[in-house]
Structure formats: structure tokens, C-alpha cells
Amino acid sequence: MPRTPFLAGNWKMYKTGAEAVSFIESARPLLAGATGRQAAVAVPFTALAETAKAAAGSGILVGAQNIHWEKEGAYTGEISAGMAKAAGASFVILGHSERRQFFGDTDEWVSKKLQAAISESLIPVVCLGESLSQRESGDTFKVLGAQIKGSLAGLSEAQAASLIIAYEPVWAIGTGKTATAAQAQEVHAFLRGELKTLLGAKTSDSTRILYGGSVKPDNVKSLMAEPDIDGALVGGAALKPDSFAQIVKFDF
Ligand code: PEP
């Protein structure tokens, strides 16, 4: 089954609604004619509604960067999947390493958020990745095996139809150090194998696995040339319309 490349920006805690609209207005003509791929931006909650409105008809998907797993309740400062959806989100990033590191997200929380996202038909982008010390101590596959199992716990094959995984080595995020295409491919192939064990061959073949970690216009092509790399999750280089558009428009 062909896996349409998914090139997503993660804006983190950057951009007001007005700044987001200006980004979309600049990116729209740059992305015209970029076929055979999906462009997406994950924006701050406060910019969701304006960005989604500005992006209508542009082919750019707009998403959130997190959700809470409950539908509603006494959870000060949290946003539910339904709220994100109503504000214009089509997808949501779950378990980004910054959430795991600074806000306590665990694999168990990610699995609950995953259920909430799917129940609101939000496309889930589940992030996994090892730290530098875990890689250096030879634990990369052990760590990622546990993360994928825990984060996808309770997920059925039918629920996995829209699942996207993002492999983001923590040591490569925002550091300028990209995993080599071969290093990333090795992990992506491992994760595809884990998906096969957990959810069967069909899910393993159809699930897009994105790479994230200092993706830039000048390295996206070599990463995307690898057979198991189906897209990118991009932080810094997705904040400016021109570099984002160059990444989305990588040559096949
Ligand atoms: C990210 O935010 O998910 C990310 C990969 O950031 P950067 O591209 O800046 O490393």
C-alpha cells in the first residue's frame, strides 16, 4: 500500500493567531502544485481556529500539539480532543519528547490520549525516541520497543487505520544533529517490525513512520529516500514559510 509522505511542522510555543495566519498566507502560493504529499502544521491551541480558517482549501492540515484524554472535567489548563477538533484540528501530536521530559507524559498517558484522539477522529502522530545516553549505552531498541508497546497499548487494528508514528531521537531535536539517513532507516525498519508484531502486517505496511530531529531543506531528500521513512516532523525549520515549503517540496 502506498504511504503518502506526511511533512509536518511542529510550531511548539511559537506564533500568535495573527502570525500563524500570515505564515499560511505566505506558504499557500509556495506549496501550490506540491502533489503526492501531505503538508501539515501543529500549532498552539490559541492559534488553532484562526490557522484552520486561513488554511481552508490550501491542502495544509492543521493540528494540535497535545490533548488531555478526558472529554471534559476539572482539569485546569487542559484541552480535550473534542475541543481541539472543534477549534479546527485534524490531527494531534502525542507524546512529543518535550512533553515527556518537561510535563510528565508517560507511555500510559500517551495510550489514553491516543484513544481520545481516535474517538474524535483526530489523526494521531505518536512520538517515540531514545535519549543520547540510552543510545550510547546500546539500549535504543529496548527503549523504543517498550515505548511503542506502552504508547499503543489497547489499540486495535481497526483503530490503527489513521495512526502515524514519529521517530524523534531526543539527541537530534533542536540540536542541529540529525540522525544519518542510515541510522534513521535502521530504527524505522525496527519500528515497522514492532508494528507487525503488535498490530499485524496490514497495519505495519500502511502506517506512516515520520523522522524528526533537525530536519532541514538540505537533508530532507536523503532521509526521504530511505524505504521506511514516510515523512518528517519538523521543529525549527518549519517556522518560516520558505524553509517549510522547501521541505514539503522535497524531490522524490
Ligand atoms: C520537533 O519539534 O519535533 C523537532 C524535531 O524539532 P527540530 O526539527 O527543531 O529538531
Side-chain angles (χ1 to χ4, degrees):
M1 190 190 287
R3 299 185 294 262
T4 304
F6 192 92
L7 291 310
N10 170 21
W11 285 354
K12 313 191 187 201
M13 200 171 73
Y14 291 99
K15 297 193 192 295
T16 62
E19 288 164 346
V21 169
S22 151
F23 176 101
I24 299 289
E25 279 167 3
S26 304
R28 188 188 274 265
L30 300 177
L31 291 175
T35 53
R37 64 205 70 199
Q38 179 65 61
V41 283
V43 310
F45 289 126
T46 46
L48 264 177
E50 276 168 278
T51 316
K53 203 168 155 206
S58 69
I60 305 171
L61 276 191
V62 176
Q65 300 170 15
N66 180 39
I67 46 167
H68 193 274
W69 57 85
E70 293 290 351
K71 280 189 186 327
E72 58 185 10
Y75 300 103
T76 302
E78 292 293 322
I79 303 283
S80 71
M83 290 169 181
K85 175 96 183 177
S90 307
F91 75 97
V92 60
I93 296 175
L94 300 174
H96 189 279
S97 67
E98 287 152 14
R99 294 225 47 97
R100 292 176 184 263
Q101 192 181 345
F102 304 126
F103 304 103
D105 280 25
T106 61
D107 292 334
E108 192 197 345
W109 284 15
V110 174
S111 71
K112 292 190 202 181
K113 292 177 185 202
L114 179 56
Q115 290 295 328
I118 290 168
S119 73
E120 293 292 343
S121 305
L122 287 172
I123 298 166
V125 178
V126 173
C127 300
L128 313 167
E130 82 287 2
S131 67
L132 184 59
S133 63
Q134 289 165 335
R135 176 161 279 264
E136 285 176 347
S137 59
D139 289 332
T140 298
F141 295 123
K142 194 174 104 193
V143 167
L144 290 169
Q147 279 183 3
I148 193 168
K149 204 166 161 210
S151 299
L152 305 189
L155 190 72
S156 68
E157 197 185 328
Q159 287 180 315
S162 65
L163 176 69
I164 295 178
I165 300 284
Y167 166 57
E168 298 209 303
V170 178
W171 48 271
I173 297 180
T175 58
K177 280 188 204 167
T178 323
T180 63
Q183 275 175 323
Q185 167 58 27
E186 184 187 29
V187 172
H188 283 230
F190 167 78
L191 291 173
R192 205 172 296 290
E194 294 295 287
L195 279 173
K196 190 171 178 186
T197 308
L198 293 169
L199 291 157
K202 196 165 151 252
T203 303
S204 165
D205 284 346
S206 61
T207 300
R208 286 172 287 185
I209 307 179
L210 318 182
Y211 169 78
S214 299
V215 174
K216 308 270 182 264
D218 62 4
N219 60 22
V220 63
K221 188 176 172 179
S222 66
L223 289 159
M224 290 302 295
E226 296 294 337
D228 288 299
I229 301 182
D230 309 313
L233 186 55
V234 187
L239 287 169
K240 295 238 163 66
D242 55 344
S243 64
F244 177 65
Q246 283 177 53
I247 289 170
V248 172
K249 289 164 75 177
F250 78 94
D251 296 332
F252 277 106

